[in-house]
Amino acid sequence: MGRRWRDGCGELVVRGSGGPGVRVPLEIAASYRARTRGLLGRDSVEGAILLSPANSVHTFRMRMPIDVAYLDRGLRVIAVRTMVPGRLGMPRLRARHVVEARAGAMGEWGVREGARVEIVVATAAG
């Protein structure tokens, strides 16, 4: 379960009750440089971005409010918070990954405390 990803693209899959789940386009930021940049300087985000490893985030120099989901090692959601620009999020001791999206998106997708998500990495067409 201690999975390590590389910078790239994929999908965030949020399983519903018995349904196929919601599939959301996902940008993966696993390198120090990509995690540091995150959503800074963007006016919007298409889907979500995974920061890994990470256990806290900030919204300094951001242009939009965001939803933040803190995930543990097994990709279970520890907490979901909405953050406005200019804030420092509290570190979550059990968090190993953070997913960021536009404010309101997590609720629409069914991402809530206790839910488990899946990360599907896009494979290069070859």
Side-chain angles (χ1 to χ4, degrees):
M1 294 242 189
R3 169 96 193 211
R4 285 193 137 355
W5 292 281
R6 293 178 182 234
D7 293 348
C9 296
E11 286 184 318
L12 175 72
V13 181
V14 184
R15 299 278 180 217
S17 54
V22 176
R23 300 179 85 83
V24 178
L26 183 70
E27 180 180 334
I28 300 170
S31 69
Y32 176 78
R33 182 179 214 167
R35 289 191 320 268
T36 302
R37 174 139 193 244
L39 295 176
L40 296 178
R42 299 189 197 186
D43 292 321
S44 64
V45 59
E46 181 68 32
I49 183 170
L50 171 73
L51 308 175
S52 179
N55 69 354
S56 68
V57 296
H58 68 83
T59 58
F60 300 122
R61 296 186 357 224
M62 284 202 178
R63 299 177 181 170
M64 62 187 167
I66 60 170
D67 279 353
V68 179
Y70 299 88
L71 310 177
D72 69 8
R73 191 178 313 273
L75 302 181
R76 183 176 302 276
V77 179
I78 297 170
V80 178
R81 299 288 180 264
T82 299
M83 294 178 65
V84 296
R87 300 285 188 222
L88 178 63
M90 293 289 295
R92 305 291 170 165
L93 296 179
R94 291 183 15 241
R96 297 295 179 263
H97 319 283
V98 173
V99 176
E100 297 177 341
R102 68 172 168 74
M106 299 288 179
E108 293 171 12
W109 301 333
V111 176
R112 65 189 185 298
E113 189 173 333
R116 190 176 299 266
V117 300
E118 181 182 345
I119 307 297
V120 178
V121 178
T123 57

